[in-house]
Structures are given as C-alpha cells and as structure tokens.
Amino acid sequence: MAHTLDLESIVEAISGKNVGMGVDEKALISTLGNSHKDHRKLFRKASKSFFEEDEERAFEKCHDQFVKHLKLEFSRFNNAVVMWSMHPWERDARVVKKALKKGDECYSLIVEVACTRSSEDLLGARKAYHSLFDQSMEEDIASNIHGARRKLLVGLVSAYRYEGNKVKDDSAKSDAKILAEAVASPGEKAIENDEVVRILSTRSKLHLQHLYKHYNQIKGSDLLGGVSESSILNDALLCLLKPSVYFSKILNASLNKDADKGTKKWLTRVFVTRADHSDELKEIAEEYNQRYGETLAQNIQEKTRGNYRDFLLTLLSKSN
C-alpha cells in the first residue's frame, strides 16, 4: 500500500497551499505514474475533498468541482504558452474582445491596452482586431458600451499619441486646471466632460506627466489620490502616468491567497503581455518589490507550481 507521504505528495501536487496556481506535473508523474491501482484507491478514499463514496455502487467518484479545478489548473501553463506564442498585436486584440464579452467589470482591460502601449503597438492591435473579428475595435466598443464610458474608451483606443520629447508647459498647465475642475465633480461626471476625454485620449504621455505635476501643485494633493480607485478614470490615469504601479497592484491581487478564480488569471496576463519589453517587466517587478516589501520572484516561487511556475520565472528572468 502507498505510504502517507505518497498521499500527501499527490494532494500537494494537485492543490498545494495556495489553490489555483498551477499543478506540480513532475510530482504527479513520479507519484501517480508509478502507483498501483490499490494505491490510487487508497488515495481516493482518503481524499474526501476530491472524491465521495458511492456506497450503493461501491466506488469512489470525483466531485464535479475537483474535475473543474484540475482542468483549470492544468490549463494555466497551456494558456500562458499559447498567449506567449501569439503576435503581441493579436494578444492585445483578444484581450479587448474578451473584455467586451465579459462586460462592465472587465472594461479596465480595454484601458490597459489603450493606455500602456506605444502608438505603433496600439495601431497594430487595431489592425489585428480587423483581421480576427472583421470589424474595427472602435466600432465594437461603440456598439457594446453605452453611457459616458463609451466616449472615453473609443477615444483611448483611437489614439495615436505624439511620442517625442517636446512639451508646451503652458498647455499642460491649462489642461491641469481643466482636469482639476472636472475631477471635483461627483461620480463619473468627469468622463462626461469632452475636454477631459480630449486631454486623456490625445495628449502625449510626457505632456500628461507635466499636467500631473501642475495638477498636484494647483490642488495641493495627488491627482491619483483624488479619483475613486474603482473608476475607469482612475485606471486610465494610472495606466498613463504610472503603469508600473497599476500592474504591481494587479500582481499583488492575483497572488493573494484569498483571490478568486478570475483574479488569479490576471497573473498570466500581466506576465505574458508585459514580458515582450524586458524593461517594462523589470520596472513592474521593482515597483512590486518596493511597494510590498518582498520580491516578485520569491512570491512566484512560493505561490505557483510546476511548469506554470517555471514558465513565469523564465519570463521574469528575461527582464534581469
């Protein structure tokens, strides 16, 4: 019969201390692959959280949730590899399409793509969207999103920002005053302001950095601290002004032991969509280390397993 250690090894390989972050494939192969049928029967009987006894028919059957859990965990590595194999433009186009299908709670993904990519890469994502879905990204967003957010999101994905090093400081100061008045409005009123949409969707990122400085001087407080964290305006400002902060927060949420299934998926997205530019992932890792007092690599090592962990650490090592 199998020893207790064998059973514990199987359970750890499947679920681990932080359920939902991959499986230890090597441990499963060495333990389950070499096991006798009596060993597996003992495992099924001992693992009440995975199996239940059908006494009438005299066998142990899998819980439906256990089957779903295994499918999800084995798919993490596969999904990461598939996403990494894609052209970056296609990845971004599919992220936007997924956000539209998921609805309100995922519109931040559209902001993420629109505000953190270069002008050329955002244009490329729009081209990929044409190829994949036979319609424009702008058209699809305008058809599926309504209200004040539609105007801002269409504006953001349509942008082709100037990326030079020249800024008209007086214009940045003027824009800061406009934004200061708009942000003072309650709720989502700010994104109903055409001038706010114009500023966020047309100004260069360097211009917006100057605007940020002037806003903080005018108001005597941080622009990012004056906007609701759950708003689409906050996501846009954070992605445009401090993308490494935005992504480090996402990583922290995804690695939290209490994170739900959807939140844990963010980990793959951030790594795969940011690792093409090694400097970007390096900046995110440094921000994460500084903000949370622990290294991102250490957290990945401790909270993920198997091929999934090895793949994430390989991507992270590219940025060092």
Side-chain angles (χ1 to χ4, degrees):
M1 287 293 179
H3 298 295
T4 302
L5 178 61
D6 296 325
L7 299 179
E8 290 178 351
S9 297
I10 296 172
V11 172
E12 174 63 22
I14 292 173
S15 60
K17 296 176 181 178
N18 188 33
V19 178
M21 304 300 279
V23 294
D24 189 342
E25 293 90 348
K26 291 180 181 178
L28 286 176
I29 291 170
S30 63
T31 307
L32 275 180
N34 290 318
S35 65
H36 185 272
K37 65 178 181 179
D38 291 337
H39 297 167
R40 294 192 295 278
K41 181 175 182 179
L42 180 59
F43 164 62
R44 291 193 297 271
K45 285 184 174 296
S47 305
K48 301 297 184 183
S49 60
F50 300 153
F51 301 90
E52 61 181 312
E53 186 84 27
D54 186 327
E55 295 181 358
E56 180 183 349
R57 298 170 182 83
F59 81 108
E60 310 82 24
K61 63 181 180 181
C62 283
H63 289 302
D64 288 342
Q65 285 302 113
F66 176 55
V67 175
K68 291 178 181 178
H69 166 73
L70 280 185
K71 287 181 178 179
L72 173 62
E73 298 322 312
F74 277 107
S75 72
R76 286 189 192 280
F77 171 66
N78 295 339
N79 291 341
V81 171
V82 170
M83 285 184 68
W84 181 243
S85 301
M86 290 179 184
H87 192 290
W89 295 354
E90 179 177 357
R91 279 202 304 264
D92 285 345
R94 290 188 182 278
V95 166
V96 171
K97 188 66 172 181
K98 181 178 181 180
L100 289 174
K101 288 181 178 179
K102 292 283 186 180
D104 288 20
E105 73 276 10
C106 289
Y107 290 161
S108 60
L109 298 183
I110 301 174
V111 174
E112 183 180 306
V113 169
C115 296
T116 63
R117 292 307 191 195
S118 69
S119 296
E120 282 298 320
D121 283 339
L122 180 56
L123 178 62
R126 298 207 301 270
K127 290 178 178 179
Y129 209 92
H130 290 185
S131 176
L132 292 166
F133 308 117
D134 295 317
Q135 61 184 151
S136 74
M137 186 182 291
E138 304 92 317
E139 172 191 5
D140 210 6
I141 291 171
S143 299
N144 286 281
I145 299 176
H146 305 284
R149 288 175 298 178
R150 173 166 62 185
K151 185 183 295 185
L152 177 61
L153 289 173
V154 170
L156 291 175
V157 300
S158 303
Y160 192 88
R161 301 176 193 275
Y162 167 67
E163 294 179 340
N165 58 9
K166 295 182 178 180
V167 175
K168 293 181 179 179
D169 198 58
D170 56 340
S171 294
K173 189 171 184 178
S174 176
D175 286 348
K177 291 177 180 178
I178 293 171
L179 202 57
E181 292 179 7
V183 168
S185 303
E188 294 278 6
K189 291 290 185 181
I191 63 173
E192 296 177 9
N193 187 315
D194 287 344
E195 285 297 280
V196 172
V197 174
R198 174 187 65 81
I199 292 166
L200 295 182
S201 60
T202 65
R203 293 301 196 183
S204 73
K205 292 179 182 178
L206 185 58
H207 177 102
L208 293 174
Q209 291 292 344
H210 282 248
L211 177 157
Y212 180 48
K213 178 191 68 176
H214 287 303
Y215 178 100
N216 293 349
Q217 291 171 347
I218 292 168
K219 297 289 288 187
S221 59
D222 194 318
L223 168 60
L224 296 173
V227 179
S228 170
E229 285 198 20
S230 61
S231 70
I232 198 168
L233 177 58
N234 179 75
D235 290 335
L237 289 169
L238 203 54
C239 284
L240 288 165
L241 296 170
K242 295 185 176 182
S244 61
V245 173
Y246 171 84
F247 286 113
S248 68
K249 287 183 174 183
I250 289 180
L251 287 174
N252 185 57
S254 69
L255 288 166
N256 189 301
K257 65 179 182 179
D258 297 321
D260 60 29
K261 181 174 65 175
T263 302
K264 286 179 177 178
K265 290 181 179 180
W266 298 351
L267 181 61
T268 300
R269 186 183 88 245
V270 174
F271 267 75
V272 172
T273 62
R274 301 297 131 184
D276 271 318
H277 303 284
S278 58
D279 288 346
E280 186 175 7
L281 192 55
K282 181 179 180 181
E283 289 174 6
I284 293 168
E286 289 174 350
E287 177 65 34
Y288 182 94
N289 300 349
Q290 182 176 348
R291 180 170 289 269
Y292 301 108
E294 54 188 354
T295 68
L296 180 57
Q298 180 183 352
N299 245 350
I300 296 298
Q301 181 71 39
E302 293 175 355
K303 297 180 179 179
T304 62
R305 296 185 305 283
N307 292 337
Y308 182 57
R309 176 183 60 198
D310 294 344
F311 187 67
L312 295 182
L313 289 175
T314 298
L315 294 183
L316 187 57
S317 69
K318 285 164 52 69
S319 66
N320 295 329

